[in-house]
Amino acid sequence: SPQLPAVWTGSVRETVEEGALAFHLPLDVRVVLTWDADNTNIDLVVTDPNERLQRYGLPSYQGGLLSMNFVGGYGPEEYALRNAKPGKYRIEARHSGHRQQVSRPIDPTVLVRVQTAFGTPQQQEKLYSVRLSRVGEMRFAGELEIPGVAEENR
């Protein structure tokens, strides 16, 4: 008879100190992008008040980070910024490609969740939705303004 693979019967709690992976991480800005078409690559594009685009894997001059680029599935892609500078943040979604095995690919609908004061009692959220109809298309998906004197950033 075939051998069944070994099954681990331990507990995660036995190997991780209680609370070691849970910590408070408040953010001034958190943007999460998801979409509804499998095997599709949608990119989150965030432009800061200095008109600098955020790049994958590199922190912005403000310390903002964009999650890794998910090239299939439904996302999510996330932008996180702990200490936001005053000014406007432009949020866009770009349809970068797909691997759908169909004669007519599904036009993805993108949901963008913009959160301010994330992880605090003052947290607020706005939702934006856009449809992308062709590969290469980039559409405005939302904007966020952090109050203050934006000229301080220049």
Side-chain angles (χ1 to χ4, degrees):
S1 74
Q3 282 278 336
L4 294 176
V7 176
W8 184 58
T9 59
S11 166
V12 172
R13 296 213 182 267
E14 293 174 1
T15 60
V16 176
E17 181 180 324
E18 188 68 33
L21 300 178
F23 58 92
H24 187 60
L25 181 61
L27 301 168
D28 283 352
V29 176
R30 180 175 183 247
V31 179
V32 179
L33 175 125
T34 58
W35 54 93
D36 66 351
D38 198 10
N39 291 319
T40 303
N41 181 9
I42 307 294
D43 293 329
L44 173 61
V45 178
V46 178
T47 305
D48 68 22
N50 286 33
E51 299 180 3
R52 295 181 182 159
L53 267 66
Q54 178 65 53
R55 305 283 181 209
Y56 292 103
L58 298 173
S60 70
Y61 79 103
Q62 294 185 42
L65 287 173
L66 193 60
S67 66
M68 58 187 281
N69 185 15
F70 288 96
V71 297
Y74 303 97
E77 292 194 5
E78 179 180 356
Y79 173 74
L81 178 60
R82 184 171 280 184
N83 297 306
K85 305 293 188 264
K88 289 184 180 179
Y89 294 77
R90 182 176 174 86
I91 302 158
E92 296 170 289
R94 178 178 38 226
H95 190 324
S96 295
H98 66 85
R99 296 185 316 261
Q100 297 174 19
Q101 302 286 323
V102 294
S103 60
R104 165 112 171 65
I106 297 169
D107 295 339
T109 299
V110 174
L111 177 68
V112 178
R113 182 179 305 267
V114 179
Q115 298 166 316
T116 56
F118 177 76
T120 72
Q122 295 77 31
Q123 179 174 321
Q124 294 184 353
E125 179 175 84
K126 288 185 181 179
L127 298 174
Y128 301 92
S129 179
V130 297
R131 182 171 290 270
L132 299 170
S133 58
R134 67 187 187 303
V135 173
E137 179 180 17
M138 185 155 77
R139 298 222 20 220
F140 175 78
E143 189 170 71
L144 167 70
E145 184 159 0
I146 301 295
V149 181
E151 291 301 317
E152 293 176 5
N153 287 337
R154 297 189 186 268

